[in-house]
Structure formats: structure tokens, C-alpha cells
Amino acid sequence: MLTRVRGWRRGWQERSKLERIDLYSRLTVLVIPWLFTLSWQLVPLKKDIRHAPLPLALGLALLVVCLAQCGLSNRNVRPSYAHYLGTSVFPRRRMAAPLALLLVGLGLLAALAAVDGVGGAGLLLMAMNAPMALVMTQVLLVPVRTFLVQSLALVALTTGVLAAAGVRGGILAGVVPATLFGCVLVLVSVRPSTWSLSVMWQAEEARDVQARLAVAEERLRFGRDMHDVLGRNLAVIALKSELAVELAQRGRPQAVDQMVEVQRIARASQQEVRDVVRGYREADLSTELAGATGVLRAAGIECAVVGDSGAELAAPVQAALGWVVREAATNVLRHGDPRRCTIRLAASADEVVLGVENDGASTTAATGEQGSGGSGSGLAGLRERLGALDGSLDAGTAGDGLFRLTARIPLPRPDPGRKPGAASRTASGDVSRTEDPVALVEERR
């Protein structure tokens, strides 16, 4: 039993906020008919029904019919929700059994009143409960105006059946508002809840479409940038190569000049392609901080950036910390149910420390490593990036439902004796080389 409860709790935590609201709304519609039956049908059976064999038998039979109506109502909840949300069409034949049980229940209630087996208050409660299980489904299948007309028809039917059974006076007059109250109660409780749920699902679908459009737009932009970078240069290379061939065939020395120009354009194109790709592969710290703040706030999570801006840090350090911010924001959205997130950046003379802390940490947040291979894939990828700069990464729960991720990168001390033209060194001590491999081959020649 404890294992099953833990499984339910884990399943609840793994659901998104919208999925939780959806489940809560459906469970509410499932439970309401049973609550009405237990309060409006079972209580009169004990207090208001005359304790004689025939009235008790009729009362028990009516209770069984009401419980069967509740079961059929639960069975029709899922398809009625799908019909209202527009994902499928509700088969009308499924309403035949609930309607038949409603007529049987009204017949038993009339027979109970005819043998003078129930008091006035109990009769009103039973009349109010009679159509509840049926209208819980019907309210999602028809427009509001049609539902109100059908509710009036149910009121007229209930009143007519009880009048035929001999109910008179104030009790009969009270049946009208009591029955109508039950129908209106279902209308104002179930219909708005389902409408709100449909609006939220539409908003979720709109966000998915917006995300797909953003990806498509980014692909188009990348294709456009590559075309702008390579299109003209490749055309020039093709033309100059053809010219060099013609000149070489004629024995003209200008062919060498044309091929040198082709080589220069090819090298320039190579560097331009690197610049374009670098813009997509490297993460800028200020851009990632602004992007993480915007994305988290758009998801309803309070996000605050505290401390230094990081603008004075070296480019490799900014790129590594930018990847940390990107992965941390992704994990905040993916794991747990956070409401607040704080990003702290502190730089000293010896090291720079980036901390990301959020509440609502779940059991999966602490083990959010998405893979050990590949750059930028999970916490393992971040440790590899930080390790190249002698940095470290710590991640785990911090108590009180908090999850904390801390990245540290040591900063090299400035060398006052270094010449301005000396080669720059990275945080790991390697000399950064920017020479073109093709140029190195030419030098060796």
C-alpha cells in the first residue's frame, strides 16, 4: 500500500501544472454525483422514509438506481470532456442507459410518495438528486441555452410525475425550485471549470506552435546567413577558377595570380563560416542571463539576477558560464514545480562563482544529468566545459525544497611583465592559436 501511495505521489509530481489542473477537474466531476447521492439520497433513507417494509424496499431500490446512475456518469466523463474540447464526438447512444435509469428513479420516487412513505423534506432532496448524474454529462454535450431548456423539461417531468402520484400543495410547489437548483448548480460548477481547462489547453498548444515557429525561423536565418556568406564567394571562386584554367591553357602567367586570389577568397570564406558557426555554438553570458530571465518569467517563475554582470570576464569564461545558465534554466523548467529562481554571479580576483537556486525541487532535479557525452548535454557536459578552465560544478538539494547549482572558475592572475604582443593563455594554461591551418601549411612549404 505504501509503495502504491509513493507511486501516486511520484506520478503527481511528474505531471505539469496544466496536467494537474486537468486531473483535478476530471476527478471533481467524477466525485460530485457520489457526494450528492450520499447526502441527498442516503440521508432521507434513514430519517425521512417511513420504516415499513414497502417504503424501505422502494427507498433501497431508488438508492441502487442512483448509485448505478453515478457509475454511468463516471463512465461518460472522459468522452464528454473530449466532446467539449473538440477532440472527439460523444456517441449519443451512451445517454440511453442514464436516461432510462432516470425514468426508473422517478417512477420509484412517485411510488414512494404514493404510498405515503416519505416526508416532505426527504421528498424534496430526492427530487433534487434524481437528475444530477444525468446532467453532469449532459452539461458538456449541449450549448448552455439548450441545457437550460432541457433542465426546464426535467423540472416539468419531475413535477408531473409526482403530481400524478398524489403530491399536492407546498411540497409539489417546492419540487420546482429544488430540481431547477440542482441543474443550475451543475451548470455553474462544471461548465466554467471545463471552459477554463479548454482555454488553458489552447494556450499550451499555442506555445508549442510558437516554439516550433521559432525553431523554423532560426533555421531559415541560419540558412540565410550561410547563403549570404558563401553564395557570392563561391560564385567568385568558380569564375576565377574558370579564368585560371583558360589562362593556363594559353600559357599565360596571370593564371597563377588568379589562383592566388582564389586561395585568398577561400580562406576568407572559411573564416566567415567559422564566425557564423561560432555565433550558434558559443553562449554569451549576458545574452543567456537575459534569455533565462525572460523564459522563466514567461513560465510563471519569479527570476532575479543578483551580483556582477560578468562583462569584464574573459570570453572563454563567459562562454562556459553562459552554458551553465542555459542548462540550469532548462532544468528549472523541466524538473520539479518551482515558483522562484535566483541567479547569483560574483567575481573576485581569484575566481568567479555562478549560483542558480530554485525552490520546488523534486527527486528528479537532483539527478538531472542528461548524459555524460556531448557538449552542453546535462550536468556532465557542463563539468567537461568547466574542467577545460580548471573549474568545478556542484549540484544538489539544499534543504527546504531548494535545489542549488554552483559553478566555480579560477581566474588567472595578471602578469605585469607580459608583453602586449605575447600570446594569450587560457585559464587552463594552453596558448590560444588563431592561425589558419592552411596558412601553416603554406609556411611549412
Side-chain angles (χ1 to χ4, degrees), residues 191-255:
R191 187 86 178 198
S193 174
T194 312
W195 175 78
S196 301
L197 188 62
S198 67
V199 171
M200 287 187 289
W201 277 118
Q202 291 173 3
E204 183 73 11
E205 293 174 358
R207 283 193 291 267
D208 292 341
V209 172
Q210 185 178 8
R212 290 195 295 268
L213 290 177
V215 172
E217 183 179 357
E218 186 68 11
R219 289 175 178 173
L220 290 175
R221 187 173 76 86
F222 184 81
R224 183 173 62 250
D225 291 347
M226 293 299 293
H227 178 270
D228 294 342
V229 168
L230 295 179
R232 182 183 64 85
N233 291 352
L234 290 177
V236 174
I237 289 174
L239 290 175
K240 287 188 172 294
S241 299
E242 293 177 2
L243 180 58
V245 171
E246 293 290 337
L247 293 174
Q249 290 177 348
R250 297 177 184 180
R252 303 284 294 275
Q254 291 84 350

Side-chain angles (χ1 to χ4, degrees), residues 407-424:
R408 301 177 183 272
I409 299 179
L411 297 178
R413 294 183 177 275
D415 186 2
R418 188 181 62 181
K419 296 182 179 180
S424 61

